[in-house]
C-alpha cells in the first residue's frame, strides 16, 4: 500500500503518441510537492548514464509500480514559463477528471500527431553563376553535343528557378548529374521544408462589410474588454443570416493585432470550401485548416506550422481545439449547439467546456455563436456566467421567411395519403413555375422506429415513463428506461383507429414521390448513400448553387451553413421525426433543426416560405420554431428540464458497461449499482440511479451493452463518485475484460 508521505510522478520524456507507451516513474522530493503537477516540465536523471533530461509530468500518484529502491528522484522543475505542451497536458488531466478516461486516452486526444514521415522537402535549383557565363556554357555544351546538359541548362535559363522534380522528370536530367553540376559550382540546390496546404488555391483578399449598428456594438464591447485584459466567455446569439460570421472576423482581426493566435471551431459538416474561403479572403496565408479527411502527414504539417507560429488562425472541427498554439488569445465556436462538439469516444469531452478550460489556462477569451443556442449556454448567459450578445436582424436586406405549420392529421382526414400536404404541393408547383429553388428536408434520425397513429397523431408511450416505446423486430414495443414491454397491435389505444404504424420514411421514397408528382422537376437527393464519395457532398451543393437542380432533397446535412439566394421554399416533411426520440434533448434538437432548415429560405433578395408538416402542430418546439422565437422555446424547455431535473438544471453521469458476454455485462452492471448504493447508504441527498438496464442499442458488433444513468444536482457529487469508482473498477477481478466508459452530461441516448 502507498505511504502517504511519498509521492510519485509519471513522466514522459518526449511529447508524442509513441512516447505514451513509455511512461517513467520518479519520486517527487518533498520540497517540490507543490510545484510538480500534471503538465509540469521537470529535469530528471535519465538512462544508465543518468543524463539530465527534460520530461513532462502526466500524473501524480501515491503508489509506485516498481520496486521503490529502483525509483530515481526528480532533480528540479523547469520554470521558464509554461509551454504549450504543459498546457495541453493540463487539458488532458481535466478531460480525464471530468469526463472519465485513462490519462493515456486523454493525452492521445490532446497531443498532436507526429508522423514518422520526414517533413517533405522541396529542392529548388538556381544558377550560381552570372546569366551571361551560363549562356556561354550552354553554347559550349551544345557544340559538344551534351544534349541532356544543354536541355537542362536552357530550361533553367528560361525559368531562373525550378524544382528538382521538374529537372529530373520534365527535363529527363538525372539526379547524379544535378549533384555534379552543383559540386562544380554551376547550380545551387536549396532545400526548403514544404508544408502541405489543403487549400493551395490563391484566394483574392477582400475587405469585410461595414458593420451594422448591432454588429458594431458587439465588436466594440469585445475590443474594449480585450484591450483592458479582461477575458471571458461570450455567447453570440444571432438568428441565421444576422452576420455572426462577420462579427467573428472582426473579433479575430482585433486579437491578431494583439499578436495572439485564434482557434475557430466549425462543425465538420459545415467545414466546407465556402466557409473556409471567407477566412482565407480575410486572413490569407496565415490560416491552417484541420479536418478529419486530412492525411496524418497533412495534420502533422499543420501542427508544425502552428507550433512554428506560421499560422495564426486555425480552423477546424472539434479536435482543432488542441492545436499547439503558443499564443492563443481567442477560441471561437460557431454553431455552439451542434452535437458534433461532443466526442463520441473516450474521453467523451464537450468542446465548449473544454475550450473554456483551456482559455482560462492561457488567458484567452471564448466566443460561442449560434442561432439556436444550446439550453446550457443560454442558461449560463442568463445567469451571467457568460456575457450575452444578440443580433436580432438579418444583415443586409434579407428578411425572415414566412412560416406555416401544416397539421398532417387534417391531411389524413381529407384523404390525402401522399407525403406532400396540399399546401406544400401548391407551393412547390408555384415555386417551380417561377424558376426558383426548393429544399426539402427529411429528418431521418428518427427512422429508428417510434410508433404512432396516423389518424390522431398519438405516439405510443410507456405507461411508466415519459418516453416513446420503440418497435423491435420481434413484434414487441419496448421502453428502454424501465424495460416495460408490450405486444404491438395495429390499433390505436386512444382513437381505436387501425392505422398505427412504425414511422419510417426514407429519402428514396420521397424522391420517387417527387418524380411522380412533379415529373419535370430536377431533383438532387443528398443522404448518406449518395455522398459516400470523397467530394460528393460539396459537388452536389455546388451543382445546386449553380442552378443545375430545382429541388434539393436531403437529411440534416443540407441544413448547415449554405447560402442560396434562389431558394425561396423550404419544406420540412415530418417535423415529428426527431421529436419522439428517447432522449430528454429531443425537443431541443427538433427546434434547432427546424430553425436551421427554415433559415435556408429567403437568404437573397426574394422573400422565402417555409412549410412545416407535422403530427404535433401544438408542440412547443414546433410552434416556437415557426415563430422564430428562441425565447419562447427556451422558457418551455427550461421549465421542463427543471421539473425533470435534467441538465443543465442537474447533471447526469452515464456508465456504459460493455462485454462480449451478456450475463457478465449484466452481473457487472448490478454490481456497480450495488457499490454505488452501499457507498451512499443513509445519505440525505443521494445520487439518483435511473432504472438500470440494457442500452437502447443493446448489442453492437456482438458486444452487449448495459447502462446506468446517474443524476444529481451537483456536478461535484457525480465527479466524486466517479473518482472513487474508477480504482475499484480497475482493480477488482470481476471487472476484468469488461469495458466501462463514463459519459458526463450525455448529448445522446444510449
Ligand atoms: P450568420 O453567420 O449569422 O449566418 P453571415 O455572417 O454569414 O451570418 O451573414 C449573412 C449574410 O449577410 C452574408 O451574405 C454576409 O455577407 C452578409 N452580411 C453580414 N454582415 C453584413 C453587413 N454589415 N452589411 C451587409 N451585409 C452583411
Ligand atoms: Zn389514434
Ligand atoms: Zn418505461
Amino acid at each position: 500500500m502507498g505511504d502517504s508521505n511519498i509521492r510519485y510522478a509519471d513522466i514522459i520524456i518526449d511529447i508524442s503518441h509513441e512516447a505514451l507507451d513509455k511512461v517513467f516513474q520518479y519520486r517527487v522530493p518533498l520540497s517540490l510537492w507543490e510545484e510538480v503537477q500534471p503538465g509540469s516540465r521537470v529535469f530528471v536523471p535519465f538512462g544508465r548514464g543518468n543524463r539530465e533530461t527534460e520530461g513532462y509530468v502526466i500524473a501524480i500518484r501515491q503508489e509506485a509500480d516498481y520496486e521503490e529502491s529502483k525509483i530515481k528522484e526528480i532533480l528540479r522543475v523547469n520554470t521558464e514559463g509554461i509551454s504549450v505542451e504543459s498546457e495541453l497536458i493540463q487539458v488532458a488531466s481535466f478531460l480525464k477528471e471530468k469526463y472519465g478516461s485513462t490519462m493515456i486516452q486523454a493525452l492521445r486526444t490532446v497531443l498532436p500527431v507526429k508522423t514518422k514521415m520526414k517533413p517533405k522537402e522541396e529542392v529548388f535549383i538556381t544558377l550560381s553563376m552570372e546569366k551571361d557565363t551560363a549562356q556561354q556554357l550552354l553554347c559550349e555544351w551544345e557544340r559538344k553535343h551534351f544534349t541532356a546538359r544543354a536541355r537542362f541548362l536552357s530550361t533553367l535559363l528560361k525559368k531562373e528557378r525550378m524544382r528538382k522534380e521538374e529537372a529530373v522528370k520534365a527535363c529527363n536530367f538525372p539526379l547524379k548529374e544535378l549533384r555534379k553540376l552543383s559540386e562544380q559550382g554551376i547550380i545551387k540546390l536549396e532545400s526548403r521544408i514544404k508544408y502541405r496546404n489543403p487549400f493551395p488555391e490563391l484566394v483574392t483578399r477582400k475587405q469585410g462589410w461595414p458593420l451594422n449598428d448591432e454588429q458594431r456594438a458587439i465588436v466594440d464591447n469585445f475590443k474594449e474588454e480585450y484591450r483592458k485584459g479582461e477575458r471571458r466567455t461570450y455567447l453570440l446569439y444571432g438568428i441565421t443570416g444576422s452576420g455572426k460570421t462577420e462579427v467573428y472576423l472582426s473579433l479575430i482581426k482585433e486579437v491578431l493585432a494583439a499578436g495572439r493566435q485564434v482557434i475557430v471551431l466549425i462543425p465538420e459538416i459545415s467545414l466546407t470550401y465556402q466557409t473556409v474561403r471567407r477566412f482565407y479572403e480575410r486572413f490569407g496565408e496565415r490560416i491552417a485548416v484541420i479536418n478529419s479527411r486530412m492525411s496524418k502527414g497533412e495534420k502533422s504539417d499543420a501542427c508544425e506550422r502552428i507550433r512554428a507560429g506560421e499560422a495564426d488562425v486555425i480552423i477546424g472541427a472539434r479536435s482543432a481545439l488542441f492545436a499547439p498554439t503558443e499564443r492563443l488569445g481567442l477560441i471561437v465556436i460557431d454553431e455552439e449547439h451542434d452535437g458534433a462538439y461532443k466526442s463520441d469516444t473516450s474521453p467523451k469531452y464537450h468542446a465548449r467546456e473544454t475550450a473554456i478550460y483551456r482559455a482560462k489556462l492561457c488567458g484567452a477569451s471564448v466566443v460561442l455563436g449560434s442561432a439556436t443556442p444550446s439550453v446550457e449556454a443560454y442558461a449560463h448567459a442568463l445567469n451571467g456566467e457568460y456575457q450575452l450578445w444578440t443580433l436580432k436582424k438579418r444583415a443586409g436586406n434579407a428578411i425572415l421567411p414566412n412560416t406555416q405549420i401544416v397539421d398532417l392529421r387534417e391531411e389524413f382526414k381529407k384523404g390525402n395519403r401522399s407525403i406532400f400536404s396540399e399546401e406544400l404541393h401548391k407551393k412547390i408547383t408555384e415555386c417551380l413555375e417561377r424558376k426558383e429553388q426548393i429544399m426539402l428536408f427529411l429528418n431521418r434520425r428518427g427512422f429508428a422506429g417510434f410508433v404512432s397513429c396516423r389518424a390522431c397523431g398519438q405516439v405510443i408511450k410507456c405507461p411508466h415513463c415519459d418516453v416513446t416505446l420503440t418497435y423491435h423486430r420481434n413484434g414487441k414495443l419496448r421502453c428502454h428506461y424501465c424495460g416495460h414491454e408490450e405486444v404491438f397491435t395495429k390499433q390505436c389505444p386512444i382513437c381505436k383507429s387501425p392505422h398505427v404504424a412504425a414511422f419510417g420514411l426514407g429519402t428514396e421514397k420521397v424522391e420517387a414521390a417527387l418524380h411522380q408528382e412533379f415529373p419535370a422537376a430536377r431533383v438532387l437527393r443528398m443522404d448518406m448513400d449518395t455522398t459516400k464519395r470523397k467530394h460528393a457532398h460539396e459537388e452536389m451543393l455546388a451543382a445546386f448553387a449553380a442552378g443545375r437542380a430545382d429541388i434539393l432533397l436531403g437529411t440534416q446535412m443540407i441544413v448547415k451553413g449554405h447560402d442560396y439566394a434562389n431558394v425561396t421554399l423550404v419544406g420540412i416533411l415530418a417535423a415529428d421525426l426527431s421529436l419522439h426520440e428517447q432522449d430528454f434533448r429531443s425537443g431541443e434538437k427538433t427546434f434547432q433543426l427546424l430553425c436551421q432548415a427554415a433559415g435556408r429560405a429567403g437568404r437573397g433578395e426574394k422573400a422565402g416560405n417555409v412549410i412545416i408538416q407535422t403530427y404535433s402542430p401544438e408542440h412547443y418546439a414546433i410552434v416556437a420554431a415557426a415563430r422564430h422565437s428562441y425565447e419562447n422555446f427556451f422558457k418551455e424547455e427550461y421549465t421542463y428540464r427543471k421539473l425533470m431535473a435534467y441538465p443543465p438544471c442537474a447533471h447526469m453521469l452515464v456508465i456504459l458497461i460493455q462485454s462480449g458476454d451478456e450475463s457478465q455485462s449484466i452481473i457487472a452492471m448490478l454490481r456497480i449499482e450495488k457499490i454505488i448504493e452501499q457507498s451512499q447508504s443513509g445519505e440525505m441527498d443521494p445520487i439518483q440511479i435511473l432504472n438500470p438496464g440494457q442500452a437502447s442499442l443493446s448489442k453492437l458488433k456482438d458486444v452487449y451493452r448495459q447502462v446506468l444513468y446517474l443524476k444529481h444536482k451537483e456536478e461535484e457529487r457525480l465527479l466524486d463518485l466517479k473518482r472513487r469508482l474508477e480504482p475499484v473498477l480497475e482493480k477488482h477481478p470481476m471487472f476484468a475484460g469488461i469495458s466501462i466508459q463514463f459519459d458526463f452530461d450525455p448529448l445522446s441516448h444510449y
Side-chain angles (χ1 to χ4, degrees), residues 453 456 492 495:
C453 169
C456 72
C492 171
C495 78

Side-chain angles (χ1 to χ4, degrees), residues 208-213 215-216 236 238-249 278 282 334-335 370-371 391 393-398 561 563 599-600 603:
W209 297 93
L211 297 179
N212 64 34
D213 292 346
Q215 291 169 321
R216 166 100 287 148
L236 173 54
I239 56 173
T240 44
S242 59
K244 293 186 291 297
T245 310
E246 282 302 318
V247 170
Y248 304 147
L249 292 167
R278 274 175 88 178
R282 210 61 68 78
D334 189 29
E335 313 267 11
S370 176
L391 287 174
K393 295 192 295 277
R394 277 193 159 182
N397 296 321
D563 243 338
R600 299 298 113 205
R603 302 273 283 198

Side-chain angles (χ1 to χ4, degrees), residues 321-440:
L321 183 55
F322 308 117
T325 47
E326 299 268 2
R327 302 171 274 118
L328 187 59
L330 173 67
I331 303 172
V332 175
I333 304 185
D334 189 29
E335 313 267 11
E336 155 282 323
H337 62 274
D338 199 288
Y341 286 126
K342 174 115 186 186
S343 166
D344 46 16
T345 53
S346 202
K348 297 186 173 174
Y349 68 92
H350 197 295
R352 189 196 315 122
E353 294 157 349
T354 312
I356 292 170
Y357 180 82
R358 184 171 181 197
K360 281 223 176 81
L361 287 182
C362 61
S365 280
V366 176
V367 172
L368 311 169
S370 176
T372 51
S374 62
V375 176
E376 273 86 351
Y378 203 72
H380 281 137
L382 291 188
N383 74 20
E385 241 173 283
Y386 305 165
Q387 168 134 339
L388 183 63
W389 287 331
T390 22
L391 287 174
K392 295 201 179 68
K393 295 192 295 277
R394 277 193 159 182
N397 296 321
I399 48 162
L400 279 174
N402 170 37
T403 305
Q404 210 176 323
I405 298 177
V406 174
D407 185 346
L408 288 176
R409 295 171 304 188
E410 293 297 317
E411 293 295 310
F412 189 82
K413 270 191 218 151
K414 281 192 274 185
N416 179 6
R417 310 277 155 111
S418 134
I419 293 167
F420 314 106
S421 61
E422 261 176 38
E423 187 61 28
L424 182 58
H425 197 284
K426 186 175 127 235
K427 284 265 168 27
I428 293 177
T429 312
E430 289 168 2
C431 205
L432 290 171
E433 274 165 12
R434 289 196 307 265
K435 300 253 176 293
E436 290 167 358
Q437 286 174 299
I438 299 156
M439 287 171 98
L440 293 181

